[in-house]
Amino acid sequence: MKKTLFAFLCLLAFTVSGQVVTVVETSRLLQGVEGPAYYPVLNDAGDRLLFSSGENGTLKLYDFASNVVSRVSDGFVAGNDAFFGGDGNVYFVTQERGQGNLIYRTGHAYNTASGQSRVVLEAQHGAVRPAVGTRGGALKSAARNYSSSPSIGTAVWTQGSKVFVTVDGQDRVFSPVDSWAGYLWASLSPDGQRVAFFAAEQGIVVIDLRGQVTAMLGRYEMPCWYNDHYLVAQNATDDGHQFTSSQIVLLKADGTFKAELTRPTSMTMQPTCGGGRIVYTTIDGNLTSMRINIDE
């Protein structure tokens, strides 16, 4: 068994220009405890994990230290509509179908210390966009906004083909690359100096806080910062109807290096990073925790 594991890990070590990336540990999370789980989100320390449970979109929180799963919301939380703010609390958006078959969205804040949640944006028709801040969190909508405090620090979010960066209380708005279908998945580097996001037809773009493009990383999706120098992303293909392959890749933020962390046939997707830990799921909803070593 040990020899088989060693051989497997060796296959996942990649060398380019003197850099070696090795997968040193993988482990299934919540096997036999939870059903299918999707859209994992780690906090910065990597010791707490949000995920959506099954088709009903119930939002749950897993604590690695206590090995306990808590239910955050019974409401339907779509996709990446939940995140940890810089204050350690959870902010999320539920949605339900209302009169006239319209979708109504409600904003919530969940206190991780007390285990209590409260409504911070009443139900409204239209998009509600998460904005992750270094000192808190915000929810943005056309009707009204919510902020956890007067200053949530440096924050990022997207709307259409615009990426918003809040610095010192002032919003900066950039459209650094063309994308008729818009931008998604904006995130701030741990040192607070760069923003990575996905632009349809372009892939992952890295900019500085002035909106200048510092790197184009290729047509990968769902970028998350592993540290100040590397990102983890999803590399998926489809036939127009369903996924045909999906894997997790490591990308250097300057665009000079790429390493496969899982194989294309593994159907692994939706990566998240925090505290040196990587968590992803599979097309069947199997959560996995991974640790890697980067030798430069």
Side-chain angles (χ1 to χ4, degrees), residues 40-292:
V41 180
L42 281 167
N43 64 352
D44 287 342
D47 57 7
R48 287 181 171 178
L49 178 74
L50 289 169
F51 64 92
S52 294
S53 180
E55 295 181 357
N56 61 6
T58 299
L59 184 64
K60 296 183 178 181
L61 174 65
Y62 174 59
D63 188 299
F64 284 86
S66 64
N67 196 31
V68 171
V69 175
S70 304
R71 188 182 296 267
V72 175
S73 173
D74 288 325
F76 181 81
V77 181
N80 292 339
D81 282 349
F83 65 95
F84 288 97
D87 55 4
N89 291 323
V90 173
Y91 302 90
F92 63 97
V93 179
T94 58
Q95 59 178 265
E96 59 183 352
R97 197 173 300 274
Q99 188 175 8
N101 213 31
L102 298 176
I103 299 296
Y104 287 83
R105 296 173 177 85
T106 304
H108 308 258
Y110 176 84
N111 188 301
T112 52
S114 67
Q116 301 296 313
S117 65
R118 59 190 177 93
V119 172
V120 295
L121 277 181
E122 297 295 335
Q124 58 186 289
H125 176 56
V128 177
R129 299 174 181 85
V132 184
T134 55
R135 295 198 295 268
L139 299 171
K140 306 285 186 176
S141 75
R144 51 195 178 276
N145 299 324
Y146 164 79
S147 181
S148 61
S149 66
S151 175
I152 61 171
T154 305
V156 297
W157 74 97
T158 61
Q159 178 181 335
S161 295
K162 297 177 181 177
V163 57
F164 292 75
V165 183
T166 301
V167 181
D168 297 327
Q170 300 296 315
D171 288 344
R172 304 174 182 179
V173 188
F174 307 117
S175 295
V177 296
D178 292 333
S179 177
W180 67 269
Y183 300 165
L184 290 170
W185 303 309
S187 61
L188 186 69
S189 61
D191 62 6
Q193 297 303 306
R194 286 169 295 172
V195 177
F197 63 93
F198 169 83
E201 306 96 42
Q202 301 284 354
I204 296 175
V205 183
V206 180
I207 62 173
D208 62 22
L209 299 187
R210 298 169 298 171
Q212 300 299 307
V213 175
T214 63
M216 301 284 289
L217 303 187
R219 295 200 174 189
Y220 307 106
E221 303 162 335
M222 304 189 78
C224 59
W225 290 91
Y226 176 75
N227 58 26
D228 289 331
H229 308 291
Y230 291 89
L231 296 103
V232 175
Q234 168 185 295
N235 179 29
T237 60
D238 64 79
D239 60 8
H241 302 282
Q242 60 186 4
F243 287 109
T244 55
S245 71
S246 190
Q247 67 179 145
I248 307 301
V249 295
L250 181 75
L251 307 169
K252 197 162 188 180
D254 63 4
T256 61
F257 176 80
K258 168 196 167 183
E260 297 179 337
L261 300 181
T262 63
R263 298 303 186 190
T265 54
S266 65
M267 301 303 283
T268 48
M269 54 188 60
Q270 300 170 2
T272 179
C273 306
R277 186 194 304 271
I278 301 166
V279 171
Y280 54 85
T281 191
T282 68
I283 198 168
D284 297 318
N286 299 323
L287 287 175
T288 298
S289 174
M290 171 185 284
R291 291 195 181 274
I292 63 174

